[in-house]
Amino acid sequence: MGVTTSVYISNESIHVVKGTGSKRNVRIKEIIESKVQEGCIINGVITDQAALKQSIESAAIDSKSIRLVIDGAGVMTKLLEVPMLRDKEKLTTLINDNFQDIDNRENMITDYMVLEQRNSAGGATVLATLVEKEFVSEYIELFESLGFKIESIDISLACMIKYIMNINDLIDETFVYAVVDKHTVTFALFVEGDYRFSRRIRIVAEDNKEELFDELVRTLLNLIQFNKSEKTNNDITDFYFVGFLPEYDEIYRRLTDTIGVSVTAAPVPDEIKYKGTENANNFIYAIGNMIDL
C-alpha cells in the first residue's frame, strides 16, 4: 500500500498527514501543521487566494499527489435511506430528488458515501452531498497552480465519520463527537455506532469563559433532547471533544456535572498508529481522508 498525503485547510492552519489507511488500520508517518495567513480562508471560503497560496507553499508539502479535504458553507449534506441500486447514475438521480428545494442546482455537484450497504429497512444508508462547483474549482485551480495533482476530494464530515467508524471501542456506543476548529464546533451524533446527525455552531463567546460554558451547556442539552425526540431508544453516554477548548480539563468537568453526561477530551484511538508528539485527534479530517470504507 502506497503512502497517502492528505491535506485539510482549517480556519487557522494547514493540516498535512502522510501515511497509509484502511479499515481498522491507520499508520501515520508524519503530521505537519502550518499556519495560514489570518483572514485568507474563512469557514472554507477562500477570501485571499494569493495569501493562501503563500501559506501552502510555506507548508513545504513534499508530495506532488494529494488527497484534499474541503469544508464550508457551500457543502450541504443529508442522511438518506435509498433502495440498493448498482446503477450509480440512477442513485445520483434519486439523491438529487431529495435536494429539490435547493436553488441553482445546475451549479452543484452531487456525491454520496455509503454508510450501510444493507440497513434494517433492506436498503442502503448514504451520506448525500451537494456542493457548489465554483467552491470546488477554486481549490482545484489553487493546488494545480502549485503543481499538485489532486487524487481525490472529500468533505470534512465524511472524513470525520470514517475516522470514528474506524474506532472499535465505539462500534456499539451512542455518543457525540465534537471537533473544535477555532471559532466553530462541529457536533456529530452516533447511535449504536452509526452516524445520525450533525450540527455546526459558531462560538460567539470564545473570549469569555463563563459565556462559552453557558453556550456549550445549551448546545449539549439540545443534542440530548434531540436524541430523545428521535426516539432512538439509546441515551447519549458521552460527549467527546477533539481540538482545543480553553482550560479544557476544568470546563469538561463542569460540563459533566451540569448536564449529567460524561464530557471529556477524546482519547487517541488504538487504531491510529503514530509515534510522533502531535495529538492525532486534532487532525481528524486529514486522517479520516486516508481511510477508504
Side-chain angles (χ1 to χ4, degrees), residues 58-248:
S58 298
I61 303 170
D62 61 3
S63 173
K64 287 302 179 183
S65 182
I66 66 169
R67 289 188 178 190
L68 183 62
V69 186
I70 59 173
D71 184 23
V75 178
M76 290 161 278
T77 62
K78 283 186 179 182
L79 188 66
L80 300 176
E81 291 190 359
V82 297
M84 294 184 66
L85 299 173
R86 293 188 177 183
D87 188 322
K88 291 186 177 181
E89 187 173 336
K90 287 183 179 179
L91 181 53
T92 300
T93 300
L94 183 61
I95 289 170
N96 282 332
D97 290 341
N98 285 272
F99 285 100
Q100 290 183 352
D101 55 331
I102 304 299
D103 295 329
N104 301 317
R105 288 288 308 288
E106 67 277 6
N107 297 320
M108 300 285 184
I109 299 170
T110 304
D111 200 0
Y112 62 91
M113 179 175 72
V114 178
L115 300 180
E116 287 184 89
Q117 293 200 11
R118 187 178 294 276
N119 58 32
S120 58
T125 303
V126 301
L127 179 70
T129 302
L130 209 63
V131 59
E132 297 172 359
K133 291 179 182 177
E134 184 177 355
F135 181 78
V136 175
S137 63
E138 284 190 354
Y139 279 94
I140 294 173
E141 291 169 7
L142 175 63
F143 278 91
E144 287 185 348
S145 72
L146 290 166
F148 292 101
K149 175 186 176 183
I150 299 178
E151 293 180 19
S152 63
I153 300 176
D154 209 344
I155 63 169
S156 60
L157 178 59
C159 294
M160 178 184 184
I161 292 170
K162 288 190 290 184
Y163 183 97
I164 293 167
M165 288 176 68
N166 198 54
I167 304 174
N168 283 319
D169 288 346
L170 298 179
I171 285 176
D172 297 317
E173 300 299 314
T174 297
F175 59 93
V176 171
Y177 227 78
V179 179
V180 182
D181 185 1
K182 196 175 182 180
H183 303 295
T184 62
V185 186
T186 300
F187 297 90
L189 168 65
F190 289 76
V191 177
E192 293 186 313
D194 295 326
Y195 169 76
R196 287 292 186 89
F197 170 80
S198 64
R199 179 187 176 192
R200 176 179 297 178
I201 67 165
R202 179 171 176 80
I203 299 176
V204 178
E206 60 176 320
D207 295 325
N208 185 306
K209 185 175 68 174
E210 289 307 312
E211 289 183 7
L212 172 63
F213 175 79
D214 292 340
E215 195 174 345
L216 288 171
V217 167
R218 288 193 296 272
T219 300
L220 301 192
L221 288 175
N222 283 340
L223 288 166
I224 292 171
Q225 185 56 44
F226 171 81
N227 179 59
K228 290 183 182 298
S229 70
E230 290 292 292
K231 296 181 172 61
T232 64
N233 298 319
N234 291 272
D235 291 332
I236 295 172
T237 60
D238 293 273
F239 286 88
Y240 297 109
F241 277 77
V242 300
F244 176 76
L245 284 177
E247 301 180 26
Y248 58 92

